Amino acid sequence: MTRIILGVLSFFSFHMVNAQEMRDTVSFNQSVSVPLSDKSDEPRTRHYLSASVGPAWITSKVITDFGEYTGENGWEYSVDYSCVFRKGFGFGLSLTHNSTEYHMAGDMKQTYIGPSLVYEHVFSGRWKFHWDIGMGYVHYSDYVDKYGGLGMKMSLSMEYLLSDIVSLGFRVMSGSTTFSDDERYDGDHGISRFGVMASLGIRLY
């Protein structure tokens, strides 16, 4: 009888010890468990589309049949796409149009399209700094001629994030166009301009 009682006690003791060890193991595993991935919720790339408009000034001298002009002002329009990586650098595509009216000489128009190198940085939660520089093709037209040239563009902007999707900003732009051969423009036959614009940005995804 004593052997039977001892055997029963041994049986229950064995299973109680095993059960406690299993609970300890589960508790230990839970305490040292780590996430399957430590990646940030932030996407690898951010895509933006922005539109800007504002006054611009021709900073180079322009010679026409009606005289020489310097500092004439017009309007600058810009649509820009940007793809920005986590580190802040990225690439983009810019389409800009400048229209400047000269007294007696009519309108001078420049349309630029080209890729760009982009850098962005968000700070204080709601402010975003944007910088881009690019080179591309320019189509030029005035009261006499139409031809193409090589253009360069650089802009700096500060934007306030109204939400995760929409931003409003202020942009300063500088651009230049070089033509192969035209004696009406100073320097290397080119036109330089400077603009100040208001911008609206939208985050695509």
Side-chain angles (χ1 to χ4, degrees):
M1 186 66 177
T2 302
R3 292 181 178 180
I4 295 175
I5 294 174
L6 292 175
V8 172
L9 292 175
S10 300
F11 175 82
F12 281 106
S13 299
F14 175 80
H15 283 280
M16 289 176 64
V17 171
N18 285 343
Q20 181 64 37
E21 290 178 352
M22 291 178 62
R23 284 195 297 269
D24 292 341
T25 301
V26 172
S27 179
F28 174 77
N29 289 338
Q30 290 177 347
S31 65
V32 299
S33 62
V34 296
L36 294 178
S37 175
D38 59 353
K39 295 180 180 179
S40 172
D41 292 335
E42 182 183 358
R44 292 182 180 274
T45 58
R46 303 186 302 274
H47 301 266
Y48 296 97
L49 188 65
S50 65
S52 307
V53 60
W57 293 264
I58 302 298
T59 57
S60 55
K61 181 174 66 176
V62 177
I63 303 172
T64 72
D65 296 335
F66 303 94
E68 298 182 1
Y69 299 89
T70 303
E72 295 297 308
N73 69 292
W75 287 93
E76 186 89 13
Y77 309 89
S78 178
V79 177
D80 300 271
Y81 162 77
S82 301
C83 175
V84 183
F85 301 98
R86 285 184 180 176
K87 297 296 185 180
F89 287 97
F91 62 90
L93 181 67
S94 297
L95 174 64
T96 68
H97 178 76
N98 177 275
S99 179
T100 304
E101 183 178 358
Y102 290 86
H103 179 65
M104 301 289 293
D107 288 343
M108 180 189 72
K109 299 179 180 180
Q110 300 178 79
T111 301
Y112 165 94
I113 184 170
S116 56
L117 173 66
V118 174
Y119 176 76
E120 289 188 353
H121 178 69
V122 178
F123 58 95
S124 299
R126 286 295 182 182
W127 290 97
K128 182 175 73 172
F129 169 79
H130 174 98
W131 169 85
D132 67 78
I133 185 170
M135 179 182 295
Y137 172 79
V138 176
H139 179 267
Y140 170 90
S141 65
D142 61 16
Y143 66 101
V144 175
D145 298 315
K146 292 182 180 181
Y147 42 81
L150 177 66
M152 295 189 66
K153 181 184 79 75
M154 185 182 72
S155 69
L156 299 171
S157 67
M158 188 67 69
E159 302 176 18
Y160 180 75
L161 303 176
L162 298 176
S163 67
D164 292 337
I165 299 177
V166 180
S167 64
L168 289 176
F170 174 81
R171 172 174 293 188
V172 177
M173 182 278 306
S174 176
S176 63
T177 304
T178 302
F179 304 107
S180 59
D181 185 18
D182 197 308
E183 296 179 354
R184 289 186 298 150
Y185 306 105
D186 63 351
D188 296 326
H189 310 297
I191 302 174
S192 300
R193 67 189 191 279
F194 173 82
V196 178
M197 298 180 286
S199 63
L200 171 66
I202 299 176
R203 179 172 177 173
L204 301 178
Y205 59 91

